[in-house]
Structures are given as structure tokens and as C-alpha cells.
Amino acid sequence: MSRSGQQETEPLHKNVNHVEIAKHLKDSEEVQDVTGISPFWKQALGSSPPIIASISSGMLFGYSATLIPELQKPDSDIQVNLEYASWIASTVPLLMSFGCLVGGTIMGRYGRKNAHFILCIPKLLGWLTIYLAPNFAILLVGRILGGLSAGLLATLFPTYLGEVSEPKYRGFFLVAPSTALALGILATHLLGTFLHWRTVALLASILPLITVIVLFLVPETPCWLISQNRFDEALKAFRWLRGSSISSKREFEQMWDKHKETEAISEDSFWNKAFVAFRRPEFVKPFAIIFCCFFTMQFSGPYIVAFYSVSILSKILGTTMNEYLVMNAIDVLRLVMVIIASGLLRTVRRRVLLLTSGIGTTISAIGLAVFIFATRYYPHLMEFSWFSVILLVSYIFFISIGIFVLPWCMAGELYPLDCRSLGSSLNISINFFLFFICVKIAPALFESLGIDGAFLFYGGIALMGTVVLGIVLPETKDRTLVDIQMQFIKKKEEITRNNV
């Protein structure tokens, strides 16, 4: 039987070993990329679908900040009270929590690329529903559709980006959705400042369509193709993304070897896979670490500022400054800082970013709380409200360079290949449930503790999270996904040897 005939009738993976891989890598070098496009730019194109989708999710997050004040105006065609307003804000993260559980199954079964195709549909429908909404109930349905889609897609982002990017670029691409979220928040706040909320929803519906168009230009991720034993397609996609360097060949061999070791597990059902995964240290330890990262991020309050910007700033500033102007300035700062954080992840160790971000966030949040508290007893301090803006800017600055971006980076780096979908689904689902709790209770927190008490709470959580993560967070910079996974296995083996 000819070689081509063998490929048609028998999966190549059955007899693939290092010699076969090396031969295929050598053969593929004969067909060079005549476009001259570097692997970085191809990986940038490959990473763009989740990044564009994240801009749309960011617009969902920031939409309530300008939508709610508009709906509370006497002349609004849809009227909302405080309770309705809290549901408009919190529905998105609640549905994202449920969507994350399903998203992992979809991307595991149909692939990362096809999952993006499927899951852009409810987001498009959600924005159009908001645009056409005649009453509060239909408006809430639109938010539900958007939140469900955003949750389904959020599960894909760290997995997809971790699989299309090589180690030296991975940190940069993994935090790109955080940058895109910040851009989406800025975009919807700017549009909401000048345009009617229905017009903003119509403009936001364009982004899911752009995501679908870009998906036609990129391949499926090599890791998922390997998990499906589609060796030739995986090799082709890998070469398209990574080029022909020696390090890329070595990484492909590592991925294939690791897949063969865990192939039986990866073919299990969701619940069997979960049962087996939670007995493996290379899954349990990352799960706990990433949970701590997301818990610290959410309860340090970065999304509260995005969801309730106008309400928070009006109470902090009084009549001394325009809250919409300050809100948009803070949004620009958030975007700039997340972009800077993306670059820092290429050059600075993860733990350094964590400690810098955590300490700065703690000092800024508690300092803001103290200043706001002081204005209660010394009203003349309101003349120096610019100082509260400086503290708020400092808070956004520090939280954006570490606490805000590291959880997504860790979610894409720490999990082993065979249960990466499972781990991402569970962690990100829990993250958005925590997100829902934070956003839903925020109005009640402001009423009971005041803005000062709320920021004191956020600063305390930032401090505790920094201490815990400073102890347990592993360093992953410039390490391959297989090397990171083996670190957790080796630690267990060392403990076992010491106990013998």
C-alpha cells in the first residue's frame, strides 16, 4: 500500500513516534511559507477571534454604567428602580457563569474554532434584542443572551490563546482579552456619553459578525487536533502558526508525547474526566491557584468601577467635576495599563507583577476609603476632590497591571492538555459567579457601608489575596505548557519520596 493510501485508510497517529514526527517536520520544511509573514503575526491573526469577541464582551460589561442612568431619567421610555438596575448590571455575569460550564463541552467536542462560530450567534441576537426592546423584560432577555454567549466564549479564550501561541508570546496573547475588555468598556462608555443607548446596542452588534469573518482566515488549534488524533492536520496548523524553528519542533514532539500518555483519559465523559482530574495533582493544584486568582480579582472590585462608574463618581466628586468626563479618562487609563501589562508579561516575572499590583491596589483602595470617610466629618475636604481622583486612578493603575490580567494568563498556562477544557470551564464559571455576586450586592454594599466602606473591603481582599498568591503562585514565564504541567507532578513525586 502506498503512503498516501495508508493515510486515507488508517489514522497516522497509530504508529507515530519521534522518528515519524521528525520526518514529517523535515518534509514540511520543503514547502516554505512564501508570504514571509513571521510566526508572531500569524499567531496574532490566529488570536484575533477571541480578542474581537472580548471587545464585545467588554461592551456588555460597560453598557450598564451609562444605560442605567439613562433609564432612571423621568423621560425614559423604559423606567427602572434600584432593584431592576441591579439585575440589568448583574444578569450578564450570572449567565456567563452558566455559559462557561457548557462552553467547555462545546469546545472539547467541536473544536476551538467551530465553537467560536456557534457561540457568536447568541451575542449578535442579544445586542439586537436590546436595540429593539420595548420594555424592561425584553431588555433583560437581550442582556441574558449576551451574557450567555460571553460566558460560553470566555471558556474558550485562555485555552484557545494558550494553544495558538508559543511560550515567548503566550503571556502577551493571554492577556489580550483583558486589553480587549478594557477597550470594549471604554468604547461603550464613550458611545454612551454621546449616543442613545439603543444606537450603542446596534453598533455593538457588528463585532460578532467581524469575529465570524476572521475565523475563516485561521486554522484550528494544533492541541485540539492532536486530542482528536488528527496528526497531519495538527502538524499543518502548528507549522502555520509557529514556523520551523528547532524549539517549535521540540514543543510539537512534547505535545504529541503527552497526548499519547493521557489519551485514554481524554476520551472519557465529562463527569468521568472530572472525577479522574480531581485526583491528579497537576489538575487540583492549578485549579486551586486559579480560583484564588479569580477570587482576588473579583472581590478587589475592578468590575464594580466599570459597571457603576457614573454612580460611584457622582458620590465621590459631588458637583466639583463632571463624572462622565472622569469616567472616560479612567477608561482610557485602564486600557493603557492593560496594554502595558501585556508587554510586561513578556519581560517581567509573574510573581513580580502580582506583588507590585497587589501592594499598590491595597494602598490605593484603602487610601481612597480613608479620604472619602474623612469628607463626612470635614466637608471642606471636598474642595480637594481631585485627590480622590488621584487615588482612584492609582487604584486602576495598579490593579490593571497584575490582579486584573494574571488570572486569565494562569488559566491558559497551568492546566494539562487533556483536561484544559474542563479546568477552564470550571474556573471561569466560578469566576463569573463571583462576578455576579460582586455586581449584584454592590448597590446594597454602597447603601450599607458607603463608598468608603466598600473600597476598604476591596483593599482588604486585595491584601489577603496578594499574601496567599505570593506563597502559592508558580512562575510560568517562558516555560512550555508541558514543562509547567510536569512541575506539579514532580512536586508530588518529591513529597512521596520524602515520606518513604
Side-chain angles (χ1 to χ4, degrees), residues 52-368:
I52 298 170
S54 293
I55 298 175
S56 181
S57 296
M59 295 189 75
L60 275 171
F61 291 174
Y63 191 54
S64 61
T66 54
L67 172 64
I68 292 173
E70 288 296 312
L71 297 181
Q72 290 176 332
K73 290 181 178 179
D75 60 345
S76 173
D77 58 340
I78 299 178
Q79 291 290 320
V80 298
N81 56 27
L82 184 63
E83 179 64 18
Y84 283 3
S86 70
W87 278 111
I88 287 175
S90 62
T91 295
V92 168
L94 177 62
L95 269 295
M96 290 180 76
S97 176
F98 290 111
C100 287
L101 294 176
V102 182
T105 302
I106 293 175
M107 75 169 169
R109 179 173 299 178
Y110 299 107
R112 304 358 177 181
K113 179 178 175 178
N114 289 332
H116 274 82
F117 277 119
I118 297 168
L119 301 179
C120 281
I121 296 172
K123 186 173 285 188
L124 171 63
L125 295 177
W127 281 117
L128 293 177
T129 301
I130 292 172
Y131 170 70
L132 299 170
N135 53 48
F136 169 75
I138 301 302
L139 178 63
L140 199 61
V141 169
R143 294 285 284 173
I144 288 171
L145 287 171
L148 180 63
S149 175
L152 292 165
L153 286 165
T155 312
L156 274 70
F157 295 164
T159 299
Y160 184 99
L161 294 168
E163 292 179 0
V164 302
S165 55
E166 59 187 290
K168 64 180 178 179
Y169 302 133
R170 191 189 308 123
F172 175 81
F173 287 121
L174 279 170
V175 299
S178 298
T179 307
L181 282 172
L183 177 59
I185 292 170
L186 170 61
T188 195
H189 285 175
L190 279 173
L191 293 172
T193 300
F194 301 104
L195 301 176
H196 191 274
W197 59 269
R198 293 186 189 274
T199 305
V200 176
L202 184 62
L203 293 173
S205 67
I206 298 173
L207 290 174
L209 296 176
I210 297 175
T211 304
V212 169
I213 293 171
V214 175
L215 283 166
F216 284 105
L217 306 176
V218 300
E220 180 58 82
T221 70
C223 287
W224 184 79
L225 293 169
I226 286 175
S227 72
Q228 302 299 303
N229 294 316
R230 291 156 62 176
F231 179 86
D232 287 329
E233 294 175 64
L235 179 58
K236 183 178 179 181
F238 190 85
R239 298 281 302 177
W240 189 92
L241 290 163
R242 306 292 181 85
S244 58
S245 67
I246 295 175
S247 60
S248 68
K249 296 176 186 178
R250 187 179 301 115
E251 185 179 358
F252 187 83
E253 292 172 357
Q254 285 182 326
M255 285 195 300
W256 183 259
D257 286 345
K258 202 63 192 173
H259 163 64
K260 297 307 296 178
E261 292 175 12
T262 58
E263 187 173 4
I265 296 175
S266 65
E267 293 173 354
D268 272 344
S269 67
F270 176 86
W271 294 111
N272 287 339
K273 189 186 294 186
F275 177 76
V276 173
F278 275 101
R279 300 173 64 185
R280 299 167 59 194
E282 66 269 33
F283 179 87
V284 174
K285 292 177 182 178
F287 180 86
I289 291 169
I290 296 168
F291 172 81
C292 289
C293 288
F294 278 123
F295 183 91
T296 302
M297 178 186 75
Q298 293 297 348
F299 284 94
S300 294
Y303 287 117
I304 302 302
V305 178
F307 272 62
Y308 297 102
S309 297
V310 175
S311 301
I312 292 173
L313 289 169
S314 63
K315 292 180 181 179
I316 292 177
L317 302 174
T319 59
T320 59
M321 294 184 186
N322 183 291
E323 58 267 27
Y324 284 90
L325 177 63
V326 176
M327 174 186 67
N328 287 314
I330 289 174
D331 289 340
V332 172
L333 173 68
R334 182 189 294 111
L335 174 61
V336 171
M337 292 316 304
V338 174
I339 292 173
I340 291 173
S342 303
L344 290 175
L345 281 169
R346 288 195 60 193
T347 57
V348 180
R349 292 185 176 275
R350 314 298 194 235
R351 294 172 61 83
V352 173
L353 282 179
L354 166 71
L355 294 174
T356 304
S357 175
I359 294 171
T361 299
T362 300
I363 295 173
S364 302
I366 294 177
L368 180 60

